[in-house]
């Protein structure tokens, strides 16, 4: 496996990502979309998720494809970013056809960043506008670190952020990951600069420090956040032609990448969630081998994306946690 040309989820042909943030609010939103609907699924392993329209992503539901996926800060208020994206899609004539109406399908997930020092004394929910701005900004290239849904994110010890990574399988199938890291657990080993995800690093995409010389996984961690304050929300995507059930299996496998990169992960206090997206542009020539490799690639990309999110986070005025670069 090798990274795609941009090492971003948009290496999956047809996918676009846009982000928007408000520096005073210390929060933001990120949207993933494409020129046409794509198959989507979801798998939730955290104990405190916040979501919109995830029930319709089950394989037995009527609607099998979506128009966009949204990751946002803002806790429950951030779900309004999906409404901003849905209205922008509807204005563009996009959405599930019902008679002469179009209903855009925009599932989303949120993370909690309400106590990060930003100005949250709004009179009108700002996330609708952030959703509209993020959709207006969709492109193949986008910023990582302190950006979009990860703008105000934090881990148990370091500032979090927005991350992405990609890989191309021997079959030519492309896989990518996009993640907003606001985890309770740690992405680095103890007080070192070494990332838990180091064994899967490509080149020096998050510093090239390699694995820690003495892992400290046996230490009993203590929660540094309260119930509902932590979440890592992600999207893994591919150009393979997948059913919704196959996409759900890819999302499930991708959680392995979260566990490789965040210690501990999937706690009762986290809302850890992974969406899967499949554009269907490439038929699997060898369904057994390709589907086997898809899950591994999704997990690997997600682990790398999580490390990149924290590695690329930038210091901002009023930060309550240090950035990785200051260690």
């Amino acid at each position: 496996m090798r990274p795609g040309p941009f090492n971003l989820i948009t290496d999956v042909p047809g996918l676009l990502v846009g982000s928007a943030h408000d520096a005073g609010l210390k929060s933001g939103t990120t949207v993933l979309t494409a020129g046409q609907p794509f198959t989507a699924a979801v798998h939730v392993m955290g104990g405190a998720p916040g979501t919109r329209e995830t029930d319709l992503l089950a394989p037995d539901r009527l609607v099998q494809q979506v128009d966009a996926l949204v990751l946002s800060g803002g806790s429950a208020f951030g779900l309004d970013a999906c409404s901003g994206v849905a209205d922008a899609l509807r204005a563009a004539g996009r959405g599930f056809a019902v008679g002469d109406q179009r209903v855009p399908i925009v599932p989303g997930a949120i993370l909690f960043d309400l106590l990060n020092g930003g100005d949250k004394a709004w009179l009108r929910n700002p996330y609708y506008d952030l959703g509209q701005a993020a959709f207006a900004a969709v492109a193949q290239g986008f910023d990582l670190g302190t950006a979009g849904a990860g703008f105000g994110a934090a881990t148990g010890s370091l500032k979090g952020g927005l991350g992405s990574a990609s890989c191309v399988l021997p079959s030519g199938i492309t896989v990518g990951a996009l993640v907003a890291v606001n985890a309770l657990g740690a992405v680095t080993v103890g007080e070192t600069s070494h990332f838990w995800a180091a064994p899967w690093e490509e080149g020096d995409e998050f510093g090239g420090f390699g694995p820690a010389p003495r892992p400290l996984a046996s230490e009993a961690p203590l929660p540094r956040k309260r119930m509902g304050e932590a979440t890592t929300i992600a999207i893994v995507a591919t150009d393979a032609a997948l059913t919704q059930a196959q996409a759900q299996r890819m999302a499930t496998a991708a959680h392995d990448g979260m566990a490789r990169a965040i210690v501990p992960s999937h706690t009762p206090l986290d809302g850890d969630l992974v969406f899967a997206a499949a554009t269907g542009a490439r038929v699997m020539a060898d369904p057994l081998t390709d589907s086997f490799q898809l899950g591994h690639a999704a997990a690997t990309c997600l682990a790398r994306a999580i490390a990149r999110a924290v590695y690329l986070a930038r210091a901002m005025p009023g930060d309550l946690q240090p950035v990785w670069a200051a260690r």
Side-chain angles (χ1 to χ4, degrees):
M1 299 187 299
R2 67 185 188 278
F6 294 98
N7 200 16
L8 298 172
I9 195 171
T10 48
D11 285 327
V12 175
L15 293 185
L16 301 171
V17 169
S19 287
H21 68 263
D22 182 319
L25 185 68
K26 274 189 174 293
S27 188
T29 293
T30 297
V31 58
L32 178 140
T33 190
Q36 58 188 18
F38 52 90
T39 300
V42 68
H43 190 257
V44 182
M45 286 191 69
T51 61
R52 164 176 156 149
E53 290 197 305
T54 51
D55 282 353
L56 63 77
L57 298 180
D60 62 342
R61 299 297 191 259
L62 170 65
V63 177
Q64 296 288 296
Q65 295 186 314
V66 306
D67 298 290
L69 295 169
V70 172
L71 307 179
S72 184
S75 188
F77 301 103
L79 294 174
D80 206 31
C82 299
S83 296
V85 172
D87 279 359
L89 284 161
R90 186 170 186 264
R94 297 278 304 277
F96 185 74
V98 183
D100 63 353
Q101 294 295 310
R102 291 279 178 172
V103 182
I105 308 300
V106 187
I110 50 84
L111 56 81
F112 185 97
D113 58 5
L114 298 181
L115 301 178
N116 65 1
D119 181 8
K120 306 302 193 294
W122 62 71
L123 297 178
R124 175 180 174 271
N125 188 321
Y127 289 95
Y128 178 93
D129 292 339
L130 285 170
Q132 292 242 306
F135 185 80
V138 296
Q140 188 171 34
F142 57 96
D143 291 336
L144 302 182
T146 304
F151 190 86
T155 72
S157 57
L158 292 171
K159 190 170 179 178
L162 186 74
S164 190
S166 72
C167 70
V168 182
L169 295 171
S171 64
I173 290 172
T174 301
V175 177
L178 176 69
V179 62
V181 182
N182 191 61
L184 177 65
V187 298
T188 53
V189 183
E191 299 302 318
T192 75
S193 296
H194 297 270
F195 287 92
W196 285 109
W200 294 275
E201 185 176 13
E202 293 287 346
D204 59 355
E205 62 186 345
F206 42 89
F209 286 86
R214 181 178 175 271
L216 305 173
S218 61
E219 292 189 353
L222 294 173
R224 301 192 188 187
K225 296 184 180 182
R226 293 171 294 186
M227 186 71 74
E229 291 183 9
T231 287
T232 298
I233 48 178
I235 304 168
V236 292
T238 182
D239 55 355
L242 302 181
T243 66
Q244 202 167 44
Q246 290 171 321
Q248 187 179 55
R249 176 48 49 186
M250 185 174 71
T252 302
H255 275 284
D256 287 354
M258 199 177 293
R260 295 171 189 172
I262 302 169
V263 179
S265 59
H266 307 136
T267 77
L269 283 72
D270 285 283
D272 296 343
L273 170 154
V274 178
F275 289 110
T279 65
R282 185 181 287 269
V283 175
M284 292 189 288
D286 183 344
L288 178 61
T289 299
D290 290 342
S291 60
F292 178 82
Q293 292 181 344
L294 273 175
H296 172 67
T300 300
C301 284
L302 182 52
R304 293 164 48 214
I306 288 168
R308 294 187 81 198
V310 174
Y311 174 70
L312 294 170
R314 307 185 309 276
M316 303 287 286
D319 282 350
L320 302 181
Q321 287 183 306
V323 296
W324 176 91
R327 299 203 84 149

